[in-house]
Amino acid sequence: MARSDTKAVVRALLDEQARTYAEEAGIHLKDTPQPLYQLLVLSHLLSARIRADIAVAAARALFAAGMKDARHMRDATWQQRVDALGEGGYRRYDERTATQLGQVAELVLDAYGGDLRRMREKADGDLDRLRALLQEAPGIGPAGADIFLREVQGVWPEVAPYLDRKTLDGARRLGLPTDRDQLAGLAGEAELPALAAALVRAALDKDVVEDVQETVNET
């Protein structure tokens, strides 16, 4: 595919799927403690074998119930966490996840004073170290770490371009390059989190691929 064609595909993809998962969950992501913690919660929920829209709804319900930072999550009762998860439709894993969310909050408070920027400082620019630190949180495995890093690259520029296996699966389905640097070069730096999220949606939903292809063919 010619570069002009690949750029057209990327532009159509971003025009139709530009929202990050953080934005869908109502997280105004910036490099401050509360939104970074909320992104960690969302990444935890999204990494389970459950639909993304349910995970997003559950995150919104937790935040609406006052569990917007590590301290409030820790201080909430287990039942309050379960109830909020249930309100968001997150029922299959609600009891285990409610326990893990409490444990993660404790870890974030004890190890980083509630501020994940200290985790970033501890990693000191080493991406593998940062992925490992994220996975010290109960319930955050490789998939959860990837989700967090895909979204946070917009505010932690040393992470970018973060295009993991799932994003490359989406690129492959769209006929886009699967070389990370080449793929990242098809969008602006500020668009990388949205591009990553859009590529994940393309990997998960053939309708996204078909809609993009239809849009490109019409232009």
PDB file of all heavy atoms in Angstrom, residues 1 54 61 80 103 129 133 143 157 160 182-183 186-187 195 201 213:
ATOM      1  N   MET A   1       0.844  -1.194   0.000  1.00  0.00           N
ATOM      2  CA  MET A   1       0.000   0.000   0.000  1.00  0.00           C
ATOM      3  C   MET A   1       0.876   1.239   0.000  1.00  0.00           C
ATOM      4  O   MET A   1       1.825   1.341   0.780  1.00  0.00           O
ATOM      5  CB  MET A   1      -0.900   0.001   1.251  1.00  0.00           C
ATOM      6  CG  MET A   1      -1.937   1.119   1.266  1.00  0.00           C
ATOM      7  SD  MET A   1      -2.909   1.156   2.812  1.00  0.00           S
ATOM      8  CE  MET A   1      -3.839  -0.370   2.689  1.00  0.00           C
ATOM      9  N   ILE A  54     -18.346  -2.463  28.900  1.00  0.00           N
ATOM     10  CA  ILE A  54     -18.705  -2.780  30.279  1.00  0.00           C
ATOM     11  C   ILE A  54     -17.605  -2.321  31.228  1.00  0.00           C
ATOM     12  O   ILE A  54     -17.876  -1.758  32.303  1.00  0.00           O
ATOM     13  CB  ILE A  54     -18.978  -4.289  30.438  1.00  0.00           C
ATOM     14  CG1 ILE A  54     -20.231  -4.686  29.655  1.00  0.00           C
ATOM     15  CG2 ILE A  54     -19.121  -4.673  31.911  1.00  0.00           C
ATOM     16  CD1 ILE A  54     -20.525  -6.174  29.671  1.00  0.00           C
ATOM     17  N   ALA A  61     -18.671   4.097  37.019  1.00  0.00           N
ATOM     18  CA  ALA A  61     -19.477   3.880  38.226  1.00  0.00           C
ATOM     19  C   ALA A  61     -18.620   3.972  39.483  1.00  0.00           C
ATOM     20  O   ALA A  61     -19.050   4.542  40.502  1.00  0.00           O
ATOM     21  CB  ALA A  61     -20.179   2.527  38.144  1.00  0.00           C
ATOM     22  N   GLN A  80     -18.980  -1.808  48.818  1.00  0.00           N
ATOM     23  CA  GLN A  80     -19.164  -0.598  48.008  1.00  0.00           C
ATOM     24  C   GLN A  80     -18.499  -0.761  46.646  1.00  0.00           C
ATOM     25  O   GLN A  80     -19.045  -0.323  45.621  1.00  0.00           O
ATOM     26  CB  GLN A  80     -18.594   0.619  48.742  1.00  0.00           C
ATOM     27  CG  GLN A  80     -19.465   1.091  49.901  1.00  0.00           C
ATOM     28  CD  GLN A  80     -18.794   2.179  50.715  1.00  0.00           C
ATOM     29  OE1 GLN A  80     -17.560   2.180  50.917  1.00  0.00           O
ATOM     30  NE2 GLN A  80     -19.592   3.127  51.201  1.00  0.00           N
ATOM     31  N   GLN A 103      -6.441  -3.939  47.031  1.00  0.00           N
ATOM     32  CA  GLN A 103      -5.021  -4.266  47.160  1.00  0.00           C
ATOM     33  C   GLN A 103      -4.149  -3.331  46.324  1.00  0.00           C
ATOM     34  O   GLN A 103      -3.083  -2.903  46.768  1.00  0.00           O
ATOM     35  CB  GLN A 103      -4.799  -5.719  46.733  1.00  0.00           C
ATOM     36  CG  GLN A 103      -5.453  -6.739  47.650  1.00  0.00           C
ATOM     37  CD  GLN A 103      -5.449  -8.143  47.058  1.00  0.00           C
ATOM     38  OE1 GLN A 103      -5.331  -8.340  45.848  1.00  0.00           O
ATOM     39  NE2 GLN A 103      -5.562  -9.144  47.928  1.00  0.00           N
ATOM     40  N   ARG A 129      11.301  -1.835  32.699  1.00  0.00           N
ATOM     41  CA  ARG A 129      11.177  -1.682  34.157  1.00  0.00           C
ATOM     42  C   ARG A 129       9.806  -1.130  34.518  1.00  0.00           C
ATOM     43  O   ARG A 129       9.165  -1.584  35.463  1.00  0.00           O
ATOM     44  CB  ARG A 129      12.276  -0.746  34.667  1.00  0.00           C
ATOM     45  CG  ARG A 129      12.227  -0.431  36.155  1.00  0.00           C
ATOM     46  CD  ARG A 129      12.417  -1.663  36.992  1.00  0.00           C
ATOM     47  NE  ARG A 129      12.545  -1.332  38.409  1.00  0.00           N
ATOM     48  CZ  ARG A 129      12.152  -2.137  39.397  1.00  0.00           C
ATOM     49  NH1 ARG A 129      11.616  -3.307  39.124  1.00  0.00           N
ATOM     50  NH2 ARG A 129      12.303  -1.765  40.650  1.00  0.00           N
ATOM     51  N   LEU A 133       7.004  -2.837  36.877  1.00  0.00           N
ATOM     52  CA  LEU A 133       6.456  -2.174  38.058  1.00  0.00           C
ATOM     53  C   LEU A 133       4.933  -2.157  38.014  1.00  0.00           C
ATOM     54  O   LEU A 133       4.263  -2.368  39.032  1.00  0.00           O
ATOM     55  CB  LEU A 133       7.006  -0.755  38.179  1.00  0.00           C
ATOM     56  CG  LEU A 133       8.492  -0.634  38.535  1.00  0.00           C
ATOM     57  CD1 LEU A 133       8.962   0.814  38.389  1.00  0.00           C
ATOM     58  CD2 LEU A 133       8.741  -1.128  39.966  1.00  0.00           C
ATOM     59  N   ALA A 143      -1.313  -7.685  29.787  1.00  0.00           N
ATOM     60  CA  ALA A 143      -2.358  -6.978  29.036  1.00  0.00           C
ATOM     61  C   ALA A 143      -2.715  -5.660  29.707  1.00  0.00           C
ATOM     62  O   ALA A 143      -2.857  -4.629  29.042  1.00  0.00           O
ATOM     63  CB  ALA A 143      -3.604  -7.849  28.891  1.00  0.00           C
ATOM     64  N   PRO A 157       5.907  11.120  27.484  1.00  0.00           N
ATOM     65  CA  PRO A 157       6.422  11.003  26.115  1.00  0.00           C
ATOM     66  C   PRO A 157       7.545   9.985  25.950  1.00  0.00           C
ATOM     67  O   PRO A 157       7.754   9.486  24.841  1.00  0.00           O
ATOM     68  CB  PRO A 157       6.898  12.424  25.791  1.00  0.00           C
ATOM     69  CG  PRO A 157       7.008  13.125  27.101  1.00  0.00           C
ATOM     70  CD  PRO A 157       6.011  12.500  28.004  1.00  0.00           C
ATOM     71  N   ALA A 160       6.366   6.746  24.322  1.00  0.00           N
ATOM     72  CA  ALA A 160       5.948   6.735  22.913  1.00  0.00           C
ATOM     73  C   ALA A 160       7.114   6.409  21.973  1.00  0.00           C
ATOM     74  O   ALA A 160       8.264   6.762  22.264  1.00  0.00           O
ATOM     75  CB  ALA A 160       5.338   8.088  22.564  1.00  0.00           C
ATOM     76  N   GLN A 182       7.292   3.012  11.693  1.00  0.00           N
ATOM     77  CA  GLN A 182       6.625   3.396  10.450  1.00  0.00           C
ATOM     78  C   GLN A 182       5.147   3.681  10.702  1.00  0.00           C
ATOM     79  O   GLN A 182       4.593   4.657  10.177  1.00  0.00           O
ATOM     80  CB  GLN A 182       6.786   2.281   9.411  1.00  0.00           C
ATOM     81  CG  GLN A 182       6.320   2.664   8.017  1.00  0.00           C
ATOM     82  CD  GLN A 182       6.551   1.563   7.004  1.00  0.00           C
ATOM     83  OE1 GLN A 182       7.159   0.527   7.316  1.00  0.00           O
ATOM     84  NE2 GLN A 182       6.074   1.763   5.790  1.00  0.00           N
ATOM     85  N   LEU A 183       4.525   2.849  11.516  1.00  0.00           N
ATOM     86  CA  LEU A 183       3.109   3.047  11.835  1.00  0.00           C
ATOM     87  C   LEU A 183       2.906   4.336  12.612  1.00  0.00           C
ATOM     88  O   LEU A 183       1.992   5.118  12.320  1.00  0.00           O
ATOM     89  CB  LEU A 183       2.602   1.846  12.637  1.00  0.00           C
ATOM     90  CG  LEU A 183       1.121   1.798  12.995  1.00  0.00           C
ATOM     91  CD1 LEU A 183       0.249   1.861  11.753  1.00  0.00           C
ATOM     92  CD2 LEU A 183       0.823   0.530  13.798  1.00  0.00           C
ATOM     93  N   LEU A 186       2.669   7.680  10.771  1.00  0.00           N
ATOM     94  CA  LEU A 186       1.479   8.008   9.997  1.00  0.00           C
ATOM     95  C   LEU A 186       0.527   8.920  10.760  1.00  0.00           C
ATOM     96  O   LEU A 186      -0.498   9.344  10.217  1.00  0.00           O
ATOM     97  CB  LEU A 186       0.748   6.722   9.596  1.00  0.00           C
ATOM     98  CG  LEU A 186       1.522   5.800   8.650  1.00  0.00           C
ATOM     99  CD1 LEU A 186       0.800   4.467   8.500  1.00  0.00           C
ATOM    100  CD2 LEU A 186       1.714   6.466   7.290  1.00  0.00           C
ATOM    101  N   ALA A 187       0.850   9.210  12.013  1.00  0.00           N
ATOM    102  CA  ALA A 187       0.021  10.102  12.838  1.00  0.00           C
ATOM    103  C   ALA A 187       0.931  11.052  13.603  1.00  0.00           C
ATOM    104  O   ALA A 187       2.130  10.792  13.764  1.00  0.00           O
ATOM    105  CB  ALA A 187      -0.838   9.294  13.808  1.00  0.00           C
ATOM    106  N   LEU A 195      -4.629   6.775  18.209  1.00  0.00           N
ATOM    107  CA  LEU A 195      -4.324   5.789  17.172  1.00  0.00           C
ATOM    108  C   LEU A 195      -4.232   4.396  17.773  1.00  0.00           C
ATOM    109  O   LEU A 195      -4.785   3.431  17.227  1.00  0.00           O
ATOM    110  CB  LEU A 195      -3.011   6.150  16.473  1.00  0.00           C
ATOM    111  CG  LEU A 195      -2.516   5.127  15.438  1.00  0.00           C
ATOM    112  CD1 LEU A 195      -3.518   4.988  14.297  1.00  0.00           C
ATOM    113  CD2 LEU A 195      -1.137   5.528  14.911  1.00  0.00           C
ATOM    114  N   ARG A 201      -9.424  -1.326  18.643  1.00  0.00           N
ATOM    115  CA  ARG A 201     -10.825  -1.553  18.248  1.00  0.00           C
ATOM    116  C   ARG A 201     -10.888  -2.281  16.901  1.00  0.00           C
ATOM    117  O   ARG A 201     -11.739  -3.149  16.702  1.00  0.00           O
ATOM    118  CB  ARG A 201     -11.577  -0.232  18.187  1.00  0.00           C
ATOM    119  CG  ARG A 201     -11.732   0.445  19.545  1.00  0.00           C
ATOM    120  CD  ARG A 201     -12.660   1.648  19.464  1.00  0.00           C
ATOM    121  NE  ARG A 201     -12.698   2.345  20.735  1.00  0.00           N
ATOM    122  CZ  ARG A 201     -11.978   3.426  21.016  1.00  0.00           C
ATOM    123  NH1 ARG A 201     -11.189   3.958  20.102  1.00  0.00           N
ATOM    124  NH2 ARG A 201     -12.055   3.999  22.210  1.00  0.00           N
ATOM    125  N   GLN A 213     -12.640   0.942   5.665  1.00  0.00           N
ATOM    126  CA  GLN A 213     -12.434   0.616   4.261  1.00  0.00           C
ATOM    127  C   GLN A 213     -13.500   1.266   3.381  1.00  0.00           C
ATOM    128  O   GLN A 213     -13.196   1.777   2.297  1.00  0.00           O
ATOM    129  CB  GLN A 213     -12.431  -0.903   4.075  1.00  0.00           C
ATOM    130  CG  GLN A 213     -11.209  -1.574   4.697  1.00  0.00           C
ATOM    131  CD  GLN A 213     -11.295  -3.085   4.716  1.00  0.00           C
ATOM    132  OE1 GLN A 213     -12.376  -3.663   4.626  1.00  0.00           O
ATOM    133  NE2 GLN A 213     -10.154  -3.731   4.828  1.00  0.00           N
TER     134      GLN A 213
END
